[in-house]
Amino acid sequence: LAPLMQAANRLSRTLTGLWTTVAGLRNAHAENERLRAELAALREENYRLQEYRRENEALRAALGLDLQVPAPTISAEVIARPLNNWWSVLTINKGSRDGVEPLMGVVSPDGVVGHVRTVNYLTSEVILLTDPRSAVGGIVQRTGQPVLVEGFGYPGTHLRLRPLVAAADIQPGDIIVTSGMSQLFDKGIPIGKVDEVDLGPYGMSVEATVRPFVDFGKLEFVTVLGVRPETRAQVQANDEALAAPAGAGRR
């Protein structure tokens, strides 16, 4: 029986080794995904810190500035994308039941994704930043100059950048982040990196293309940015102020 026992022992060790290898690969894959998420979060935080440093240098004194309360966030999964409109819209599995509202900003660990367009009870439709109908205010991180970033549509690998100041200083490799001048996105969220810069006639105008940090073709999970309480209160106050004269006239 010795040969049979030896063969059985070898087979057992082989199967144990295979099982250990499979388990190790699973653990390595999970660890790799965790490290990818941490790297993306650190990269976004680095962009934010660079923007804060530039702003502090421009202001020369950041002490005494009011700190904003972080906006609530809603994690969502992408559950549908139309094949004939892949680079324009997607559907997420969170809706009004979860607190999602139209015009809320949508981001991923890599940067800006787009904004919520329509909301149902259980789902919401998101317009991607690559859609020609999308636009977001940004700034050139190196200079602080304001720009407007617009979508091209298909194939969704580049965005259009339009400067909002004359004689704008924009160079290939410049990082573009959100300006924070809208209610959709906080300041300093990554958008993309300038790829090419085209000068208009006589060098009087500039138009550039931006390669987004987000891979819009492979989105699986996104985060919806809620509205801060103070922002909501300000919007409601503005609406009431605009409606007051009309109501007074009717009375």
Side-chain angles (χ1 to χ4, degrees):
L1 296 177
L4 294 178
M5 294 177 63
Q6 186 176 7
N9 186 35
R10 289 178 179 177
L11 179 60
S12 175
R13 283 186 295 177
T14 300
L15 293 177
T16 302
L18 290 175
W19 176 258
T20 303
T21 301
V22 171
L25 289 175
R26 289 180 178 176
N27 293 335
H29 179 72
E31 182 68 12
N32 188 33
E33 292 298 322
R34 185 183 66 81
L35 292 175
R36 283 174 182 265
E38 290 183 0
L39 179 60
L42 289 174
R43 183 165 56 236
E44 180 176 349
E45 184 65 21
N46 182 49
Y47 291 137
R48 289 177 181 269
L49 291 175
Q50 291 182 21
E51 175 56 27
Y52 291 151
R53 183 179 63 181
R54 185 203 63 79
E55 185 179 35
N56 289 340
E57 292 175 353
L59 294 174
R60 296 182 180 178
L63 296 177
L65 294 179
D66 293 333
L67 298 177
Q68 292 183 320
V69 177
T73 59
I74 304 168
S75 298
E77 182 180 359
V78 178
I79 58 174
R81 299 184 71 165
L83 294 178
N84 62 344
N85 214 8
W86 189 267
W87 303 104
S88 293
V89 299
L90 54 80
T91 303
I92 59 176
N93 65 340
K94 296 297 175 65
S96 59
R97 181 187 66 171
D98 307 288
V100 180
E101 299 177 8
L103 298 181
M104 282 184 170
V106 181
V107 300
S108 77
D110 295 319
V112 176
V113 172
H115 68 274
V116 177
R117 182 185 182 188
T118 58
V119 178
N120 297 315
Y121 184 66
L122 296 176
T123 63
S124 301
E125 185 181 72
V126 175
I127 296 293
L128 300 179
L129 188 57
T130 50
D131 188 280
R133 298 168 291 177
S134 291
V136 61
I139 56 176
V140 182
Q141 195 168 60
R142 178 175 57 86
T143 63
Q145 294 178 340
V147 296
L148 184 66
V149 182
E150 302 172 317
F152 266 132
Y154 179 83
T157 56
H158 284 83
L159 306 169
R160 179 187 291 110
L161 182 145
R162 299 183 187 274
L164 298 180
V165 295
D169 179 13
I170 300 174
Q171 300 177 8
D174 279 342
I175 302 298
I176 308 300
V177 299
T178 54
S179 63
M181 294 184 180
S182 71
Q183 298 176 4
L184 297 183
F185 301 103
D186 292 334
K187 189 174 184 179
I189 300 177
I191 297 177
K193 180 184 294 186
V194 176
D195 202 7
E196 296 180 357
V197 179
D198 297 323
L199 296 177
Y202 311 105
M204 298 299 293
S205 61
V206 177
E207 185 171 303
T209 56
V210 174
R211 182 177 295 274
F213 290 127
V214 174
D215 187 349
F216 291 95
K218 299 180 180 179
L219 286 171
E220 294 181 307
F221 299 94
V222 297
T223 299
V224 181
L225 303 178
V227 181
R228 289 191 179 92
E230 61 270 20
T231 302
R232 190 183 299 277
Q234 182 179 359
V235 172
Q236 292 176 351
N238 293 338
D239 293 341
E240 292 174 358
L242 292 174
R250 286 193 297 269
R251 288 194 298 270

